[in-house]
Amino acid sequence: MDAPLERQAAAAHPRAAIVTTCILAALAGLMFGLDIGVISGATQFIQADFKVNDHMIEWIVSSMMGGAAIGALGAGWMSASLGRKRSLIVAGVVFIAGSLFCAVAWSPQILIVARFVLGIAIGVATFTAPLYLAEVAPEKVRGAMISTYQLMITTGILLAFLSDTAFSASGNWRWMLGIIAAPGVLFLIGLFFLPDSPRWLLMRGRREDAQAVLAKLRGDAAVVRKEIADIDEQLKTRQHGWSMFGQNPNFRRSVGLGVLLQAVQQFTGMNVVMYYAPRIFKDMGYDTQAQMWFTAAVGLTNVLATLIAFAFVDRLGRKPILYAGFTIMAVGLGVVGTMMSLGIHSRGEQFFTVGMLLLFIVGFAMSAGPLIWTLCSEVQPLQGRDFGIAASTFTNWVTNMIVGATFLSLLSGIGNAPTFWLYAALNAVFIAVTFFLIPETKGVTLEQIERNLMSGKPLRKIGG
Ligand code: BGC
């Protein structure tokens, strides 16, 4: 009998411990969302203040994604050496510093640098938080935890849109960009109360600490012993990402799939709306106040439609939801493009076009938004999981940057309507990509997916 473990487990309040832990870690999702959302309302005021052209605005928007790509690359190493908790603390500190730096930026160039710094924090957090959540959550609520994380992202975007709307009356973009440091401080304080990840503690040979954390989170000595034995077993499979990538063509296929999935998510065009919604509403003929309120409506729609994914993903499966999502997105954007080419004259036409843009948001939020992240964590074999997820997360940010850095140029280069048609066409192509390349992973264990992948089955068949 392991008396201290029995005592620790008996003294624990596991439900409270797990709820607080997960809420705190999910706050990283909120930071992610704030960061994505905050810039859209600020750009027009930055543009007026610094007297810069669209091209410079694209750089100011997308330098954040560049920083995030670098942060995501470094995060694997950092979360292995410093630990998940300390990596998140570093991300929290850099986040606060980065947002204050944005608020005081004295030139467009400095703002680009400040947004890059802010991005590094988000890159680290977007890699580390889901990893941490998966490591502390009990098996039966793991799926729900990852979905909660996406809900927090969309909530962060909505909060940023609302706060931008509030500041838009004064046009003070410095407050818009600086205010997100406040939730950052709460996040940072909360992080100090997080336990270290038990899995990371075991990786470091800190067996007693791991046991104490698990006792607190699970409250049952037998469950703790079993989980420690399971983690020990898993840790025998060391991470061999790089060498496996060089040697194993099947692993190259799953890494390629993760990269493709994230590129698909970004080329739906979702972030065009996240970053430039007020500008899009301006082109539809709305004044500044209306632009801001419609942007807030976009944020709210995004949160609510994410709940649709929660309800259906384990019932209908991934692929049917993706087919529906890409179809809705293609239609929504196609119609927005058509309305722009016909000219939007009456009130009715304006509302209809806004409605179609919101339909596009629904399509994304109920499908590719949450599902791509889920799929990316499901398709990698155990030995290469960290490497595979780092590669796909990196791709998310690089393609996110490409989308953000080209939108205004596309508008002025090929015109409003063709830009929306281009993204509509891409969404139509993604229906075929889903058919030919994406596996259905509903109800399949990760071990089975790995076996199918390694036996050389086509990617679309590695699920069932
Ligand atoms: C994407 C982000 C996007 C957000 C919108 C996430 O899944 O990765 O790029 O801004 O969804 O809700």
Side-chain angles (χ1 to χ4, degrees), residues 85-347:
K85 174 178 169 173
R86 263 176 283 169
S87 295
L88 286 173
I89 292 179
V90 171
V93 171
V94 178
F95 181 89
I96 296 167
S99 32
L100 295 177
F101 190 19
C102 285
V104 299
W106 51 94
S107 72
Q109 290 77 9
I110 294 296
L111 186 53
I112 289 174
V113 175
R115 296 254 312 149
F116 186 85
V117 172
L118 186 62
I120 292 178
I122 291 305
V124 172
T126 50
F127 176 86
T128 314
L131 185 71
Y132 177 86
L133 277 170
E135 290 179 350
V136 296
E139 178 88 44
K140 50 182 195 306
V141 297
R142 193 166 297 163
M145 282 299 112
I146 303 288
S147 320
T148 309
Y149 179 68
Q150 174 70 20
L151 197 63
M152 295 296 274
I153 298 177
T154 56
T155 307
I157 295 176
L158 173 63
L159 287 179
F161 284 172
L162 287 174
S163 129
D164 279 5
T165 305
F167 285 115
S168 68
S170 65
N172 196 328
W173 63 266
R174 293 182 185 277
W175 269 99
M176 290 180 187
L177 300 189
I179 193 76
I180 62 171
V185 170
L186 286 184
F187 173 60
L188 187 61
I189 295 173
L191 285 178
F192 285 96
F193 296 98
L194 281 185
D196 269 311
S197 146
R199 192 187 149 103
W200 178 75
L201 289 167
L202 282 173
M203 270 161 65
R204 292 271 144 164
R206 290 166 57 185
R207 194 155 283 274
E208 280 174 16
D209 293 337
Q211 186 174 298
V213 170
L214 274 175
K216 225 191 264 169
L217 294 173
R218 306 290 184 259
D220 180 336
V223 172
V224 173
R225 270 192 214 99
K226 163 133 196 345
E227 201 163 328
I228 290 195
D230 285 349
I231 299 176
D232 278 341
E233 191 55 41
Q234 276 188 0
L235 289 180
K236 286 194 195 134
T237 335
R238 287 204 32 207
Q239 289 285 320
H240 291 297
W242 265 114
S243 54
M244 200 172 157
F245 190 75
Q247 288 155 13
N248 188 328
N250 284 318
F251 181 49
R252 285 201 289 275
R253 290 194 307 140
S254 68
V255 173
L257 178 61
V259 164
L260 174 78
L261 285 166
Q262 288 289 5
V264 162
Q265 190 203 49
Q266 291 304 314
F267 287 115
T268 57
M270 174 61 167
N271 282 321
V272 157
V273 186
M274 295 296 107
Y275 301 135
Y276 299 107
R279 166 66 180 261
I280 297 173
F281 293 124
K282 185 174 170 203
D283 289 348
M284 290 181 191
Y286 286 105
D287 66 18
T288 307
Q289 268 326 88
Q291 288 163 30
M292 301 303 287
W293 282 111
F294 279 127
T295 302
V298 164
L300 184 64
T301 308
N302 191 20
V303 175
L304 296 179
T306 303
L307 298 173
I308 304 180
F310 280 32
F312 292 115
V313 63
D314 285 323
R315 250 188 287 165
L316 296 181
R318 286 47 166 157
K319 289 181 77 156
I321 300 186
L322 286 174
Y323 287 131
F326 291 130
T327 309
I328 294 176
M329 286 189 269
V331 171
L333 287 185
V335 176
V336 170
T338 305
M339 291 306 290
M340 288 197 160
S341 102
L342 295 174
I344 303 166
H345 309 292
S346 66
R347 256 291 110 127

Side-chain angles (χ1 to χ4, degrees), residues 353-398:
T353 316
V354 172
M356 284 296 126
L357 195 71
L358 293 180
L359 183 71
F360 162 75
I361 302 292
V362 171
F364 179 90
M366 62 175 259
S367 65
L371 288 194
I372 296 292
W373 290 103
T374 311
L375 280 162
C376 281
S377 66
E378 289 174 336
V379 298
Q380 304 302 342
L382 188 59
Q383 285 198 355
R385 186 155 297 153
D386 288 4
F387 179 90
I389 294 179
S392 56
T393 307
F394 176 71
T395 308
N396 173 281
W397 287 110
V398 172

